[in-house]
Structures are given as structure tokens and as C-alpha cells.
Amino acid sequence: MAMANFARRKALSLSGSLSKSDLLRCSLYLSSSYRSFSTGSEENDVVVIGGGPGGYVAAIKAAQLGLKTTCIEKRGSLGGTCLNVGCIPSKALLHSSHMYHEAEHSFASHGVKFSQLELDLPTMMSQKDKAVSNLTRGIEGLLKKNKVNYVKGFGKFVSPSELAVDTIDGGSTTVKGKNIIIATGSDVKSLPGVSIDEKKIVSSTGALALSEVPKKLVVIGAGYIGLEMGSVWGRLGSEVTVVEFASDIVPTMDSEVRKLFQRTLEKQKMKFMLKTKVVGVDTSGEGVKLTLEPAAGGEQSIFEADVVLVSAGRVPYTAGLGLDKIGVQTDKVGRITVNHQFATNVPGVFAIGDVIPGPMLAHKAEEDGVACVEFIAGKEGHVDYDMVPGVVYTHPEVAYVGKTEEQVKASGVEYRVGKFPFLANSRAKAIDDAEGVVKILAEKESDKILGVHIMSPNAGELIHEAVLALQYGASSEDIARTCHAHPTMSEAVKEAAMATYDKPIHI
């Protein structure tokens, strides 16, 4: 706009020496230039639809590579589901509720005593909201710092290189791009006959904003989100029952670690109804009445709760984008089909994160975003989905990377297993928080690490030593012969590695 104003002033200063036809042509040019700028129709090198972990990271990386970039986000607040109503607020509540639970049950054994403990739920929620708002503003600052144009609105395809955007202020604009990246994330998976009202029947979004602690909470789905949110409200006083259609909780987890994890959650008074499905919901009374039935069919039963959390998974969010209009191919579950460079079947259109196959995790989306932009810029990008760690942020946490023992067995590879319990770890014993184990799987002949599974306090931090080891093809002996500081939780990883290739010292 500054250039347009400069040109307008220059033309006016020269008006005495220009003909009327010259002045008319100059005026028309300036008007069209101004319209082009104000509607955002100048062509970008990269346009990203979605400002979540995948989208905003892709936009920043593109700008850092010298590409003119625009990021479009319909929420009006950057960070996507993860930052606004997912990973970040849930971790804030997990931490706060853990502090409350520790004060209620563990402080006295450490010599910390007080006369009265009180839960201030509004303050707890306020702390969570403050963390979210600070981080969203921080991301907006990062876009500005990297000169990424930020458009607040919902973008839909007009053509493979043009988007019509309905802005959050009620207006509209057009954004053009040589390359357009779809990074719109995922949405809550609905269940037939279960209508989410975010009051009695809530999604993870509603579970993060309850105004009081429900006496009885039912969680439908025993995955990451359900167990984490169940933990939050269980620590604060809810009777939590988890209803799961499958025969196991967290099906991606190593079965040995999973069984240990479930026993730990049950000791925390979380109840499980496995191989069970919800066939009916009645919200006409004070609370909620669920009609349950065995997964294989059979006699029905009624289960009553104050609040029901639907946590049965997530599905790609692509509704209203106009993918069918430009011919973008999707698979049978709605995920966008891409090649190893994240390109769809439509030239110039790419997709990353939850809308494509692979783990629906924020850190996976970030890696997708960087690699995709590197390919667009003519560089090489790479994401190995076998090296994406998973973490359940309960207490203790469970973190894992690589293959489970079941997967290694199925592959036919001969392997060794090394384990080390935190009951034998000096730091864990010193802080009286020693429930858990490290389990390492390695190929028998080469000793190459195949998978690492950790259940412990801060397992989500400990796992990255294992991620790096797998990424570079390390052996268990490599970890075992690496000096680890004492006393630390990470020594359990070293000891498990020693147990894998030889013998541990402390058991």
C-alpha cells in the first residue's frame, strides 16, 4: 500500500505535464493495484490453510526459506486444537490436578502438613486459560517476526491455486498461491446416537471447561485423551469409569507395559469396562443414563453418570474446503492421499498432519510441515513415522517409540528384551515415586534397538534419548556404555540397556 500511495502522490505532482488519457490510465492502474493488495489476491509462493502445529510451523519454515507466505486460520487464534483445546490446556490441568492430588495424599509422608486443603477450580481453570492465551499470542508474534501474512478466516478452494476466504469479521477476500498446503487438522469422532452438547455429554473441549467436578464421570474410549482427562477429574474427586469397545486400553502400547499401566490406573480408582459398547443415551433427567451392551452382543445394562466424555478418536477435518471441486483424492476414512513429498494428486496442492495417514499427533504434524515446505523449496525433507514417539501424560506417564514386542515377534526377527524397574532407581526411591519400568527390545544378532517403552514419572522427557538412539541406528550397548548422571531417572534407561545386551548392575 505504501508503494501505491507513493505512486499516487508522484502522479499528482506530475499532473500538470500529463495528458488526460495518461492521467486516466495512471488512475486505473493505481486503483487496480490497491484493490489487489487490499483483497490479498497477490500470488503467494506458499499458502497454508490452518494455523495449528503443522500449519503455523510450515508457514514459518516457508518464510525462513525465503518464500512469500500466507497462513489462514478460521479460529482467529493460532495453535489449532492442540494449543487451544487439546495438548496444552490438558497438560495444564494434568499438572494442577496432580499437585492437588499429591497435596491430598502424599505431602504428609514428606513431612509437609497443613490443616485444610481446598480446591479452587475457577483459579485452576484461569491458570490453564492464561497459559493458552500467552502461547497463542506468542505464535502470532512468531508469524509477524518471520513476515508471514496472517488471515483470520475460513478458506475454501476456488481453484488449485486460489482460495476464497470468509473472514471472521464477516468480510471476504481472495488468497492466491503457487503452492497450497492443507493443514486443517482433525475433529472429534462422533458416535451414533450420542449427541455432544458440551454440558452433560462433552468432547475433550467441554471436559477442559467443566464448571464443577462431576461426582460420576464416564469416559467413552480408552485412548490417550480419555485416560488423560479421566485422570484430571479423578484426581479432583470424580468417580471415573472408562467404557471401551476393544479388549484393551491404548491399543498401540506394548501389551506388557499396557497391563502394568492399567493396574496402576486401577490403583488410582479408575474403573474399566472393556469389550463394552454404548447403544443408547438418555439426558432427560438430572444426569445421563447410558445403555451399555457387550461388544459381541448380549444383555443390556443401564449406567448412570453426571457427565459423559466422548473420546472415541478423531477424524480428519476437511469439511467445506472444496476438495471435491478441485479433485483432491481421499481414502475411505476421509484422509487426503499424498506421496512421500506430501503432494496430493492435484499439482500445487499439498497436505500434512492429521488430514493425512500417520499418527494424529502435534509433533508429527510439525515434522510434516517442515518436510513439506523443504520439498516445495526444492530441498530434501524427511519424516520417519516409525520414529514418532507416543506419550500418555497421566501419572505415571507412558512413553514409547519403535516397535512393540508383539510387532517384533510378528516380524520373525530374533530379539532380546532388557527391563529395569524404577523401584531399583535411586532417584525414584528418593522422591518416593518409583512405579514403572523401562523395557528395551533389540535385535539379537546386531543388538540394534527396535523399540523402547517407558512407564514412569516424566517418561515423556526420558523417551527422547531412545528416539535419538533409534534414529541413528544405535545398539543397546551404545546406551549402556554412555555415562548417565547420578542420581537421575534416566539411569533406568541405561540399566535397561545393560540388561538387554548383558546384565544390569542394580538388580
Side-chain angles (χ1 to χ4, degrees):
M1 187 182 293
M3 287 298 293
N5 288 336
F6 172 78
R8 188 184 302 275
R9 290 195 303 271
K10 189 68 174 175
L12 289 172
S13 69
L14 296 172
S15 60
S17 59
L18 293 175
S19 66
K20 288 183 179 180
S21 61
D22 287 336
L23 284 169
L24 179 60
R25 281 196 297 271
C26 184
S27 177
L28 289 171
Y29 170 76
L30 289 166
S31 297
S32 65
S33 296
Y34 182 76
R35 282 196 303 272
S36 174
F37 179 88
S38 62
T39 60
S41 61
E42 289 179 333
E43 190 170 47
N44 295 269
D45 295 309
V46 174
V47 176
V48 183
I49 312 173
Y56 84 74
V57 167
I60 290 172
K61 185 63 178 179
Q64 289 174 344
L65 291 174
L67 302 175
K68 179 178 172 58
T69 306
T70 291
C71 182
I72 302 169
E73 169 54 51
K74 73 180 179 67
R75 195 188 300 269
S77 176
L78 293 164
T81 296
C82 175
L83 174 48
N84 288 277
V85 290
C87 324
I88 301 303
S90 66
K91 303 312 166 283
L93 287 184
L94 279 160
H95 179 67
S96 297
S97 63
H98 177 63
M99 292 174 70
Y100 177 82
H101 187 267
E102 286 290 281
E104 186 176 29
H105 297 281
S106 303
F107 277 16
S109 64
H110 290 272
V112 180
K113 297 183 178 181
F114 43 85
S115 59
Q116 185 175 353
L117 178 67
E118 182 181 352
L119 172 64
D120 184 351
L121 188 59
T123 298
M124 189 178 288
M125 290 294 181
S126 177
Q127 190 278 332
K128 175 257 300 181
D129 294 339
K130 182 180 178 181
V132 170
S133 62
N134 286 343
L135 286 167
T136 54
R137 287 198 301 270
I139 296 172
E140 193 162 341
L142 288 173
L143 291 193
K144 186 176 181 180
K145 174 185 174 182
N146 287 280
K147 297 181 173 57
V148 175
N149 184 35
Y150 174 29
V151 178
K152 297 180 181 181
F154 184 89
K156 48 188 177 292
F157 283 96
V158 175
S159 75
S161 60
E162 186 175 349
L163 298 163
V165 182
D166 297 324
T167 57
I168 62 172
D169 61 5
S172 62
T173 188
T174 299
V175 178
K176 294 180 179 179
K178 297 173 186 174
N179 303 282
I180 298 179
I181 301 173
I182 303 166
T184 46
S186 59
D187 201 358
V188 175
K189 183 179 181 180
S190 60
L191 290 176
V194 182
S195 180
I196 295 173
D197 60 13
E198 300 297 12
K199 294 178 181 177
K200 292 182 180 180
I201 302 179
V202 300
S203 67
S204 55
T205 301
L208 290 165
L210 295 177
S211 59
E212 60 183 16
V213 179
K215 184 178 180 182
K216 291 186 177 181
L217 172 69
V218 168
V219 179
I220 303 176
Y224 289 45
I225 299 171
L227 297 180
E228 289 179 7
M229 295 312 303
S231 291
V232 167
W233 294 107
R235 293 168 188 168
L236 299 180
S238 291
E239 296 176 23
V240 180
T241 302
V242 180
V243 177
E244 170 57 51
F245 182 84
S247 58
D248 297 301
I249 67 173
V250 198
T252 55
M253 196 178 287
D254 180 272
S255 65
E256 183 180 17
V257 177
R258 180 197 304 125
K259 290 173 184 175
L260 178 62
F261 180 43
Q262 183 174 333
R263 286 199 299 270
T264 298
L265 293 177
E266 287 170 342
K267 283 193 287 185
Q268 296 172 11
K269 300 184 179 179
M270 188 179 289
K271 299 175 183 177
F272 292 92
M273 299 179 70
L274 305 176
K275 299 182 183 179
T276 304
K277 61 182 176 181
V278 178
V279 295
V281 176
D282 180 5
T283 59
S284 60
E286 282 287 316
V288 182
K289 289 184 179 180
L290 296 175
T291 303
L292 306 178
E293 183 180 290
E299 186 177 348
Q300 295 183 347
S301 61
I302 302 296
F303 195 96
E304 296 187 15
D306 299 292
V307 175
V308 173
L309 165 60
V310 178
S311 181
R314 299 185 67 83
V315 293
Y317 183 84
T318 58
L321 295 179
L323 301 186
D324 53 341
K325 185 171 184 176
I326 62 171
V328 171
Q329 291 178 355
T330 58
D331 64 17
K332 61 182 180 181
V333 295
R335 296 174 301 193
I336 297 172
T337 304
V338 296
N339 64 15
H340 77 284
Q341 295 185 339
F342 304 93
T344 70
N345 62 300
V346 177
V349 179
F350 301 79
I352 62 171
D354 287 3
V355 296
I356 67 171
M360 285 184 165
L361 299 169
H363 43 285
K364 176 264 194 185
E366 291 184 16
E367 298 300 316
D368 284 356
V370 170
C372 177
V373 168
E374 286 175 334
F375 283 123
I376 289 172
K379 301 177 180 293
E380 285 298 317
H382 175 69
V383 183
D384 186 346
Y385 291 166
D386 290 333
M387 302 298 166
V388 175
V391 184
V392 185
Y393 294 92
T394 50
H395 189 90
E397 295 177 352
V398 181
Y400 46 96
V401 65
K403 297 184 183 300
T404 65
E405 187 167 359
E406 293 70 43
Q407 290 170 328
V408 175
K409 281 181 180 177
S411 72
V413 173
E414 289 191 62
Y415 67 97
R416 290 195 299 256
V417 180
K419 290 178 278 189
F420 190 82
F422 278 87
L423 279 170
N425 176 265
S426 57
R427 180 67 183 275
K429 291 293 287 183
I431 64 173
D432 194 22
D433 199 352
E435 189 156 17
V437 67
V438 178
K439 178 178 180 178
I440 297 178
L441 301 152
E443 191 175 52
K444 186 174 183 179
E445 184 177 353
S446 68
D447 193 36
K448 180 180 178 180
I449 298 172
L450 302 173
V452 178
H453 308 269
I454 305 174
M455 177 179 131
S456 75
N458 299 319
E461 304 295 338
L462 298 180
I463 196 63
H464 295 99
E465 175 179 7
V467 176
L468 193 62
L470 264 73
Q471 189 70 61
Y472 285 92
S475 67
S476 66
E477 186 176 358
D478 289 329
I479 291 180
R481 292 190 180 276
T482 300
C483 184
H484 288 59
H486 175 79
T488 61
M489 295 283 196
S490 64
E491 286 180 287
V493 180
K494 174 184 170 75
E495 291 269 10
M498 293 172 70
T500 307
Y501 95 94
D502 189 16
K503 293 180 180 179
I505 296 295
H506 290 96
I507 54 170

